[in-house]
Amino acid sequence: NAGVTQTPKFQVLKTGQSMTLQCAQDMNHEYMSWYRQDPGMGLRLIHYSVGAGITDQGEVPNGYNVSRSTTEDFPLRLLSAAPSQTSVYFCASRPPQQETQYFGPGTRLLVL
Amino acid sequence: AQSVTQLGSHVSVSEGALVLLRCNYSSSVPPYLFWYVQYPNQGLQLLLKYTTGATLVKGINGFEAEFKKSETSFHLTKPSAHMSDAAEYFCAVSDSHNQGGKLIFGQGTELSVKP
């Protein structure tokens, strides 16, 4: 199993551009989540999904959209990038009967 | 609502010394508690977790943590620090009612180990 994979590893955007951060898992996990990591703030939940077709907002959802058309994929869309969205983004997944979340390697995003 | 507070954004110890990283949580329901480690430019790796049962939990790399309900704490310890322990450590809490598996993280503690 590849586990949780994220692409790209690093991206530079200009203010106002849009992009999609990809996340995929091959463990058939129903639960998937997106977090952002900022210095001194730990990881904060952006959006999460408990299964295909079901998504909900986390702590910091503004400026981000998600969809979950399949169990495997959970892309995160930035509609109009802002410098405040410069961060490291982590995707995570877990099966509903377990407590442990499995994290991807992260995407480092710089918005100029 | 749940929250996590990690006391000390940076902790420095000498190699061979005790490691103690502090974590206090707030939760209105029985919590699940976790410690994750992040090495430079890498993702998060689970060190240990508490769900139910024994309050002293052992994890990987010689780390352990004790769940103290009366103190709402889940401090991480290791008897003897190694240079390879230098990393950032995150305490996290989730709702035992499994509301989508959301994790609430503390701010993180960066551990430095001096030779």
Side-chain angles (χ1 to χ4, degrees), chain A residues 31 33 35 37 40-45 48-50 57 59 90 94 96 98-105 108, chain B residues 32 34 36 38 41-46 49 51 88 90 94-95 98-108:
Chain A
Y31 291 178
S33 306
Y35 296 84
Q37 181 182 21
M41 304 188 75
L43 281 77
R44 293 178 292 169
L45 182 66
Y48 66 101
S49 169
V50 298
Q57 296 181 351
E59 182 183 357
F90 288 99
R94 77 166 177 88
Q98 293 184 14
E99 306 83 20
T100 302
Q101 292 210 21
Y102 298 85
F103 283 84
R108 189 174 298 270
Chain B
Y32 289 165
F34 306 81
Y36 282 87
Q38 183 181 33
N41 298 314
Q42 294 189 26
L44 277 74
Q45 179 182 3
L46 181 69
K49 65 181 179 183
T51 54
E88 188 155 22
F90 292 95
S94 74
D95 188 340
N98 279 340
Q99 294 179 359
K102 296 178 290 182
L103 280 175
I104 305 299
F105 284 86
Q107 306 93 317

Short mmCIF file of all heavy atoms in Angstrom, two decimals, chain A residues 31 33 35 37 40-45 48-50 57 59 90 94 96 98-105 108, chain B residues 32 34 36 38 41-46 49 51 88 90 94-95 98-108:
data_model
loop_
_atom_site.label_atom_id
_atom_site.label_comp_id
_atom_site.label_asym_id
_atom_site.label_seq_id
_atom_site.Cartn_x
_atom_site.Cartn_y
_atom_site.Cartn_z
N TYR A 31 -12.95 7.88 6.39
CA TYR A 31 -12.74 9.24 6.90
C TYR A 31 -11.49 9.84 6.28
O TYR A 31 -10.43 9.22 6.28
CB TYR A 31 -12.57 9.23 8.42
CG TYR A 31 -13.79 8.88 9.22
CD1 TYR A 31 -13.72 8.81 10.60
CD2 TYR A 31 -15.01 8.62 8.63
CE1 TYR A 31 -14.84 8.48 11.37
CE2 TYR A 31 -16.13 8.30 9.38
CZ TYR A 31 -16.03 8.23 10.75
OH TYR A 31 -17.14 7.90 11.50
N SER A 33 -9.41 13.91 5.92
CA SER A 33 -9.38 15.27 6.46
C SER A 33 -8.26 16.06 5.82
O SER A 33 -7.26 15.48 5.37
CB SER A 33 -9.14 15.24 7.98
OG SER A 33 -10.07 14.41 8.64
N TYR A 35 -5.73 19.36 6.84
CA TYR A 35 -5.24 20.26 7.87
C TYR A 35 -4.23 21.22 7.25
O TYR A 35 -3.56 20.90 6.27
CB TYR A 35 -4.52 19.48 8.99
CG TYR A 35 -5.38 18.52 9.76
CD1 TYR A 35 -5.61 17.23 9.29
CD2 TYR A 35 -5.95 18.89 10.98
CE1 TYR A 35 -6.40 16.35 10.00
CE2 TYR A 35 -6.74 18.00 11.70
CZ TYR A 35 -6.95 16.74 11.20
OH TYR A 35 -7.73 15.86 11.92
N GLN A 37 -0.83 23.55 8.53
CA GLN A 37 0.12 23.71 9.62
C GLN A 37 0.83 25.04 9.48
O GLN A 37 1.47 25.33 8.46
CB GLN A 37 1.15 22.59 9.63
CG GLN A 37 2.15 22.70 10.78
CD GLN A 37 3.20 21.61 10.76
OE1 GLN A 37 3.46 20.98 9.74
NE2 GLN A 37 3.81 21.36 11.91
N GLY A 40 3.71 27.81 15.27
CA GLY A 40 3.14 28.22 16.53
C GLY A 40 1.65 27.97 16.68
O GLY A 40 1.06 28.32 17.71
N MET A 41 1.04 27.36 15.67
CA MET A 41 -0.41 27.14 15.72
C MET A 41 -0.78 25.67 15.59
O MET A 41 -1.97 25.34 15.55
CB MET A 41 -1.10 27.96 14.64
CG MET A 41 -0.79 29.45 14.73
SD MET A 41 -1.77 30.45 13.63
CE MET A 41 -3.34 30.43 14.49
N GLY A 42 0.18 24.81 15.49
CA GLY A 42 -0.13 23.40 15.33
C GLY A 42 -0.80 23.14 13.99
O GLY A 42 -0.58 23.86 13.01
N LEU A 43 -1.65 22.12 13.95
CA LEU A 43 -2.41 21.80 12.76
C LEU A 43 -3.86 22.17 13.01
O LEU A 43 -4.41 21.86 14.07
CB LEU A 43 -2.31 20.32 12.41
CG LEU A 43 -1.03 19.86 11.70
CD1 LEU A 43 0.12 19.74 12.68
CD2 LEU A 43 -1.28 18.54 10.99
N ARG A 44 -4.48 22.79 12.03
CA ARG A 44 -5.88 23.17 12.14
C ARG A 44 -6.68 22.52 11.03
O ARG A 44 -6.26 22.50 9.87
CB ARG A 44 -6.02 24.70 12.10
CG ARG A 44 -5.42 25.40 13.31
CD ARG A 44 -5.54 26.92 13.18
NE ARG A 44 -4.71 27.42 12.10
CZ ARG A 44 -4.79 28.66 11.62
NH1 ARG A 44 -5.68 29.51 12.12
NH2 ARG A 44 -3.99 29.05 10.65
N LEU A 45 -7.85 22.03 11.40
CA LEU A 45 -8.70 21.29 10.46
C LEU A 45 -9.40 22.25 9.50
O LEU A 45 -10.04 23.22 9.92
CB LEU A 45 -9.73 20.48 11.25
CG LEU A 45 -10.68 19.61 10.45
CD1 LEU A 45 -9.90 18.49 9.76
CD2 LEU A 45 -11.75 19.04 11.37
N TYR A 48 -13.40 18.09 6.34
CA TYR A 48 -13.29 16.67 6.52
C TYR A 48 -14.46 15.97 5.84
O TYR A 48 -15.45 16.61 5.46
CB TYR A 48 -13.21 16.28 8.00
CG TYR A 48 -14.46 16.57 8.80
CD1 TYR A 48 -15.35 15.55 9.11
CD2 TYR A 48 -14.72 17.84 9.29
CE1 TYR A 48 -16.49 15.80 9.85
CE2 TYR A 48 -15.85 18.10 10.02
CZ TYR A 48 -16.73 17.08 10.31
OH TYR A 48 -17.87 17.33 11.05
N SER A 49 -14.31 14.65 5.69
CA SER A 49 -15.34 13.86 5.01
C SER A 49 -15.45 12.51 5.71
O SER A 49 -14.45 11.89 6.05
CB SER A 49 -14.94 13.65 3.54
OG SER A 49 -15.78 12.69 2.93
N VAL A 50 -16.70 12.08 5.91
CA VAL A 50 -16.92 10.77 6.55
C VAL A 50 -17.29 9.70 5.52
O VAL A 50 -17.60 8.57 5.90
CB VAL A 50 -17.99 10.86 7.65
CG1 VAL A 50 -17.54 11.80 8.75
CG2 VAL A 50 -19.33 11.30 7.07
N GLN A 57 -17.32 21.26 7.20
CA GLN A 57 -16.30 22.25 7.49
C GLN A 57 -15.61 21.96 8.80
O GLN A 57 -16.21 21.48 9.76
CB GLN A 57 -16.93 23.64 7.54
CG GLN A 57 -17.52 24.09 6.22
CD GLN A 57 -18.11 25.48 6.31
OE1 GLN A 57 -18.23 26.05 7.40
NE2 GLN A 57 -18.48 26.04 5.19
N GLU A 59 -12.30 23.83 11.30
CA GLU A 59 -12.05 25.06 12.05
C GLU A 59 -11.79 26.27 11.16
O GLU A 59 -12.17 27.39 11.47
CB GLU A 59 -10.86 24.82 12.98
CG GLU A 59 -10.48 25.98 13.89
CD GLU A 59 -9.25 25.66 14.72
OE1 GLU A 59 -8.72 24.53 14.63
OE2 GLU A 59 -8.78 26.55 15.45
N PHE A 90 -1.65 19.18 5.08
CA PHE A 90 -1.60 17.74 5.29
C PHE A 90 -2.98 17.12 5.10
O PHE A 90 -3.97 17.65 5.58
CB PHE A 90 -1.11 17.41 6.70
CG PHE A 90 0.35 17.68 6.91
CD1 PHE A 90 0.77 18.84 7.54
CD2 PHE A 90 1.30 16.78 6.47
CE1 PHE A 90 2.11 19.10 7.73
CE2 PHE A 90 2.65 17.02 6.66
CZ PHE A 90 3.05 18.19 7.28
N ARG A 94 -8.52 7.72 7.93
CA ARG A 94 -8.62 6.62 8.90
C ARG A 94 -9.94 5.90 8.68
O ARG A 94 -10.91 6.47 8.20
CB ARG A 94 -8.52 7.11 10.33
CG ARG A 94 -9.76 7.76 10.90
CD ARG A 94 -9.60 7.86 12.42
NE ARG A 94 -10.70 8.53 13.08
CZ ARG A 94 -11.80 7.92 13.51
NH1 ARG A 94 -11.98 6.63 13.32
NH2 ARG A 94 -12.74 8.59 14.14
N PRO A 96 -13.42 4.26 10.13
CA PRO A 96 -14.26 4.72 11.22
C PRO A 96 -14.14 3.90 12.50
O PRO A 96 -14.40 4.40 13.58
CB PRO A 96 -15.69 4.64 10.65
CG PRO A 96 -15.59 3.73 9.49
CD PRO A 96 -14.21 3.88 8.95
N GLN A 98 -11.39 2.77 13.80
CA GLN A 98 -10.11 2.97 14.45
C GLN A 98 -9.95 4.43 14.85
O GLN A 98 -10.63 5.30 14.34
CB GLN A 98 -8.95 2.58 13.53
CG GLN A 98 -8.87 1.11 13.22
CD GLN A 98 -7.64 0.78 12.39
OE1 GLN A 98 -6.73 1.58 12.26
NE2 GLN A 98 -7.64 -0.40 11.80
N GLU A 99 -9.02 4.68 15.77
CA GLU A 99 -8.81 6.05 16.24
C GLU A 99 -7.64 6.74 15.56
O GLU A 99 -7.57 7.95 15.52
CB GLU A 99 -8.56 6.07 17.74
CG GLU A 99 -9.61 5.38 18.57
CD GLU A 99 -9.38 3.87 18.65
OE1 GLU A 99 -8.24 3.43 18.39
OE2 GLU A 99 -10.33 3.14 18.98
N THR A 100 -6.72 5.96 15.02
CA THR A 100 -5.48 6.52 14.50
C THR A 100 -5.65 7.07 13.10
O THR A 100 -6.15 6.39 12.22
CB THR A 100 -4.37 5.45 14.49
OG1 THR A 100 -4.21 4.94 15.81
CG2 THR A 100 -3.07 6.04 13.99
N GLN A 101 -5.20 8.32 12.91
CA GLN A 101 -5.21 8.92 11.59
C GLN A 101 -3.84 8.73 10.94
O GLN A 101 -2.81 8.79 11.60
CB GLN A 101 -5.53 10.40 11.66
CG GLN A 101 -6.94 10.68 12.10
CD GLN A 101 -7.50 11.97 11.52
OE1 GLN A 101 -7.02 12.47 10.52
NE2 GLN A 101 -8.52 12.49 12.16
N TYR A 102 -3.86 8.51 9.65
CA TYR A 102 -2.64 8.33 8.86
C TYR A 102 -2.46 9.57 7.99
O TYR A 102 -3.36 9.96 7.25
CB TYR A 102 -2.75 7.08 7.98
CG TYR A 102 -2.89 5.81 8.79
CD1 TYR A 102 -4.13 5.39 9.24
CD2 TYR A 102 -1.77 5.05 9.12
CE1 TYR A 102 -4.28 4.25 9.99
CE2 TYR A 102 -1.90 3.90 9.87
CZ TYR A 102 -3.16 3.50 10.31
OH TYR A 102 -3.29 2.37 11.07
N PHE A 103 -1.27 10.18 8.13
CA PHE A 103 -1.03 11.45 7.45
C PHE A 103 -0.20 11.26 6.18
O PHE A 103 0.69 10.41 6.13
CB PHE A 103 -0.30 12.41 8.39
CG PHE A 103 -1.20 13.02 9.41
CD1 PHE A 103 -1.50 12.36 10.59
CD2 PHE A 103 -1.75 14.27 9.20
CE1 PHE A 103 -2.35 12.92 11.53
CE2 PHE A 103 -2.60 14.85 10.14
CZ PHE A 103 -2.89 14.17 11.30
N GLY A 104 -0.49 12.10 5.20
CA GLY A 104 0.34 12.17 4.01
C GLY A 104 1.59 12.98 4.29
O GLY A 104 1.75 13.55 5.37
N PRO A 105 2.49 13.08 3.30
CA PRO A 105 3.77 13.77 3.50
C PRO A 105 3.67 15.29 3.47
O PRO A 105 4.62 15.97 3.83
CB PRO A 105 4.62 13.27 2.33
CG PRO A 105 3.61 12.94 1.27
CD PRO A 105 2.41 12.43 1.99
N ARG A 108 3.70 21.83 0.53
CA ARG A 108 4.13 23.16 0.98
C ARG A 108 3.70 24.17 -0.07
O ARG A 108 4.08 24.08 -1.23
CB ARG A 108 5.65 23.18 1.16
CG ARG A 108 6.19 24.43 1.83
CD ARG A 108 7.68 24.28 2.10
NE ARG A 108 7.96 23.19 3.00
CZ ARG A 108 8.01 23.31 4.32
NH1 ARG A 108 7.79 24.49 4.88
NH2 ARG A 108 8.30 22.26 5.07
N TYR B 32 -10.14 10.89 23.33
CA TYR B 32 -9.05 10.07 22.85
C TYR B 32 -7.86 11.03 22.72
O TYR B 32 -8.01 12.13 22.20
CB TYR B 32 -9.35 9.44 21.49
CG TYR B 32 -10.38 8.34 21.51
CD1 TYR B 32 -10.97 7.89 20.33
CD2 TYR B 32 -10.77 7.72 22.70
CE1 TYR B 32 -11.91 6.87 20.32
CE2 TYR B 32 -11.72 6.71 22.69
CZ TYR B 32 -12.29 6.29 21.50
OH TYR B 32 -13.21 5.28 21.49
N PHE B 34 -3.62 11.71 21.76
CA PHE B 34 -2.56 11.25 20.86
C PHE B 34 -1.32 12.13 21.03
O PHE B 34 -1.42 13.31 21.35
CB PHE B 34 -3.00 11.35 19.39
CG PHE B 34 -4.29 10.65 19.08
CD1 PHE B 34 -5.51 11.26 19.35
CD2 PHE B 34 -4.29 9.39 18.51
CE1 PHE B 34 -6.71 10.63 19.06
CE2 PHE B 34 -5.49 8.75 18.21
CZ PHE B 34 -6.69 9.37 18.49
N TYR B 36 1.88 12.93 18.40
CA TYR B 36 2.50 12.73 17.09
C TYR B 36 3.87 13.40 17.09
O TYR B 36 4.09 14.40 17.78
CB TYR B 36 1.65 13.37 15.98
CG TYR B 36 0.44 12.57 15.57
CD1 TYR B 36 -0.78 12.70 16.23
CD2 TYR B 36 0.50 11.68 14.49
CE1 TYR B 36 -1.90 11.98 15.84
CE2 TYR B 36 -0.61 10.95 14.09
CZ TYR B 36 -1.80 11.11 14.77
OH TYR B 36 -2.91 10.39 14.38
N GLN B 38 6.94 14.97 14.44
CA GLN B 38 7.23 15.42 13.08
C GLN B 38 8.71 15.73 12.97
O GLN B 38 9.19 16.68 13.60
CB GLN B 38 6.39 16.65 12.71
CG GLN B 38 6.59 17.11 11.28
CD GLN B 38 5.76 18.34 10.95
OE1 GLN B 38 5.54 19.19 11.81
NE2 GLN B 38 5.30 18.43 9.72
N ASN B 41 10.81 18.52 7.74
CA ASN B 41 10.35 18.34 6.35
C ASN B 41 9.67 17.00 6.11
O ASN B 41 9.73 16.47 5.00
CB ASN B 41 11.52 18.53 5.38
CG ASN B 41 12.10 19.92 5.48
OD1 ASN B 41 11.39 20.91 5.50
ND2 ASN B 41 13.42 19.99 5.56
N GLN B 42 9.07 16.47 7.15
CA GLN B 42 8.34 15.22 6.99
C GLN B 42 6.92 15.36 7.51
O GLN B 42 6.55 16.38 8.08
CB GLN B 42 9.06 14.09 7.74
CG GLN B 42 10.42 13.74 7.16
CD GLN B 42 10.99 12.49 7.79
OE1 GLN B 42 10.27 11.63 8.29
NE2 GLN B 42 12.31 12.38 7.76
N GLY B 43 6.12 14.32 7.30
CA GLY B 43 4.75 14.30 7.80
C GLY B 43 4.71 13.91 9.26
O GLY B 43 5.74 13.86 9.94
N LEU B 44 3.52 13.65 9.76
CA LEU B 44 3.33 13.31 11.16
C LEU B 44 3.29 11.79 11.35
O LEU B 44 2.66 11.07 10.58
CB LEU B 44 2.03 13.91 11.69
CG LEU B 44 2.10 15.37 12.13
CD1 LEU B 44 2.17 16.29 10.94
CD2 LEU B 44 0.89 15.72 12.99
N GLN B 45 3.95 11.36 12.41
CA GLN B 45 4.00 9.94 12.73
C GLN B 45 3.44 9.74 14.14
O GLN B 45 3.80 10.47 15.06
CB GLN B 45 5.45 9.45 12.68
CG GLN B 45 5.64 7.99 13.02
CD GLN B 45 7.10 7.58 12.98
OE1 GLN B 45 7.99 8.40 12.75
NE2 GLN B 45 7.36 6.31 13.21
N LEU B 46 2.56 8.78 14.30
CA LEU B 46 1.97 8.53 15.60
C LEU B 46 3.00 7.93 16.55
O LEU B 46 3.64 6.93 16.24
CB LEU B 46 0.78 7.57 15.47
CG LEU B 46 0.06 7.24 16.77
CD1 LEU B 46 -0.69 8.48 17.28
CD2 LEU B 46 -0.92 6.08 16.56
N LYS B 49 -1.04 6.56 21.72
CA LYS B 49 -2.41 7.04 21.86
C LYS B 49 -3.04 6.44 23.10
O LYS B 49 -2.67 5.35 23.55
CB LYS B 49 -3.23 6.67 20.63
CG LYS B 49 -3.41 5.17 20.45
CD LYS B 49 -4.21 4.85 19.19
CE LYS B 49 -4.37 3.34 19.00
NZ LYS B 49 -5.09 3.00 17.75
N THR B 51 -6.95 5.57 24.41
CA THR B 51 -8.39 5.53 24.10
C THR B 51 -9.16 5.13 25.35
O THR B 51 -9.88 5.93 25.93
CB THR B 51 -8.67 4.57 22.93
OG1 THR B 51 -8.12 3.27 23.23
CG2 THR B 51 -8.03 5.08 21.66
N GLU B 88 9.65 17.99 16.27
CA GLU B 88 8.53 18.71 16.85
C GLU B 88 7.46 17.68 17.25
O GLU B 88 7.19 16.74 16.51
CB GLU B 88 7.94 19.72 15.87
CG GLU B 88 6.89 20.63 16.50
CD GLU B 88 6.74 21.96 15.80
OE1 GLU B 88 7.11 22.06 14.62
OE2 GLU B 88 6.24 22.90 16.46
N PHE B 90 3.54 16.96 18.74
CA PHE B 90 2.20 17.50 18.81
C PHE B 90 1.30 16.59 19.65
O PHE B 90 1.25 15.38 19.42
CB PHE B 90 1.59 17.63 17.41
CG PHE B 90 2.24 18.65 16.54
CD1 PHE B 90 3.24 18.28 15.66
CD2 PHE B 90 1.88 19.99 16.61
CE1 PHE B 90 3.86 19.22 14.83
CE2 PHE B 90 2.49 20.93 15.80
CZ PHE B 90 3.48 20.54 14.92
N SER B 94 -9.22 13.87 20.24
CA SER B 94 -10.39 13.69 19.39
C SER B 94 -11.57 13.27 20.26
O SER B 94 -11.40 12.89 21.42
CB SER B 94 -10.15 12.65 18.29
OG SER B 94 -10.15 11.35 18.82
N ASP B 95 -12.72 13.34 19.67
CA ASP B 95 -13.96 13.02 20.36
C ASP B 95 -14.17 11.52 20.32
O ASP B 95 -14.20 10.93 19.26
CB ASP B 95 -15.11 13.75 19.66
CG ASP B 95 -16.41 13.65 20.39
OD1 ASP B 95 -16.56 12.74 21.22
OD2 ASP B 95 -17.28 14.48 20.12
N ASN B 98 -16.51 9.83 17.97
CA ASN B 98 -16.14 9.62 16.57
C ASN B 98 -16.87 10.52 15.60
O ASN B 98 -17.46 10.07 14.63
CB ASN B 98 -16.38 8.15 16.18
CG ASN B 98 -15.25 7.27 16.64
OD1 ASN B 98 -14.16 7.75 16.89
ND2 ASN B 98 -15.50 6.00 16.75
N GLN B 99 -16.83 11.81 15.87
CA GLN B 99 -17.47 12.74 14.95
C GLN B 99 -16.57 13.01 13.76
O GLN B 99 -15.92 14.04 13.65
CB GLN B 99 -17.81 14.04 15.68
CG GLN B 99 -18.85 13.87 16.75
CD GLN B 99 -19.15 15.17 17.46
OE1 GLN B 99 -18.57 16.19 17.17
NE2 GLN B 99 -20.05 15.13 18.43
N GLY B 100 -16.50 12.05 12.88
CA GLY B 100 -15.72 12.23 11.67
C GLY B 100 -14.23 12.10 11.88
O GLY B 100 -13.46 12.34 10.96
N GLY B 101 -13.82 11.71 13.07
CA GLY B 101 -12.41 11.51 13.31
C GLY B 101 -11.61 12.77 13.33
O GLY B 101 -10.42 12.77 13.05
N LYS B 102 -12.23 13.89 13.68
CA LYS B 102 -11.50 15.15 13.70
C LYS B 102 -10.50 15.16 14.85
O LYS B 102 -10.78 14.72 15.95
CB LYS B 102 -12.48 16.31 13.87
CG LYS B 102 -13.45 16.46 12.72
CD LYS B 102 -14.42 17.59 12.98
CE LYS B 102 -15.39 17.23 14.08
NZ LYS B 102 -16.37 18.31 14.32
N LEU B 103 -9.34 15.72 14.58
CA LEU B 103 -8.32 15.89 15.59
C LEU B 103 -8.13 17.37 15.90
O LEU B 103 -8.06 18.19 14.97
CB LEU B 103 -6.98 15.32 15.12
CG LEU B 103 -6.76 13.80 15.21
CD1 LEU B 103 -5.44 13.44 14.58
CD2 LEU B 103 -6.81 13.34 16.65
N ILE B 104 -8.03 17.69 17.18
CA ILE B 104 -7.69 19.04 17.60
C ILE B 104 -6.25 18.98 18.13
O ILE B 104 -5.97 18.22 19.07
CB ILE B 104 -8.64 19.55 18.69
CG1 ILE B 104 -10.10 19.46 18.22
CG2 ILE B 104 -8.27 20.98 19.09
CD1 ILE B 104 -10.40 20.30 17.01
N PHE B 105 -5.38 19.79 17.54
CA PHE B 105 -3.96 19.75 17.88
C PHE B 105 -3.56 20.88 18.81
O PHE B 105 -4.15 21.98 18.79
CB PHE B 105 -3.11 19.87 16.61
CG PHE B 105 -3.05 18.63 15.79
CD1 PHE B 105 -4.03 18.35 14.85
CD2 PHE B 105 -2.02 17.72 15.96
CE1 PHE B 105 -3.98 17.19 14.09
CE2 PHE B 105 -1.95 16.57 15.20
CZ PHE B 105 -2.94 16.30 14.27
N GLY B 106 -2.54 20.61 19.61
CA GLY B 106 -1.87 21.67 20.34
C GLY B 106 -0.92 22.41 19.40
O GLY B 106 -0.77 22.07 18.23
N GLN B 107 -0.27 23.42 19.97
CA GLN B 107 0.57 24.31 19.16
C GLN B 107 1.89 23.67 18.76
O GLN B 107 2.58 24.18 17.88
CB GLN B 107 0.84 25.60 19.93
CG GLN B 107 -0.40 26.30 20.43
CD GLN B 107 -0.76 25.88 21.84
OE1 GLN B 107 -0.71 24.69 22.19
NE2 GLN B 107 -1.14 26.83 22.67
N GLY B 108 2.24 22.58 19.42
CA GLY B 108 3.49 21.92 19.11
C GLY B 108 4.61 22.33 20.06
O GLY B 108 4.65 23.47 20.54
#
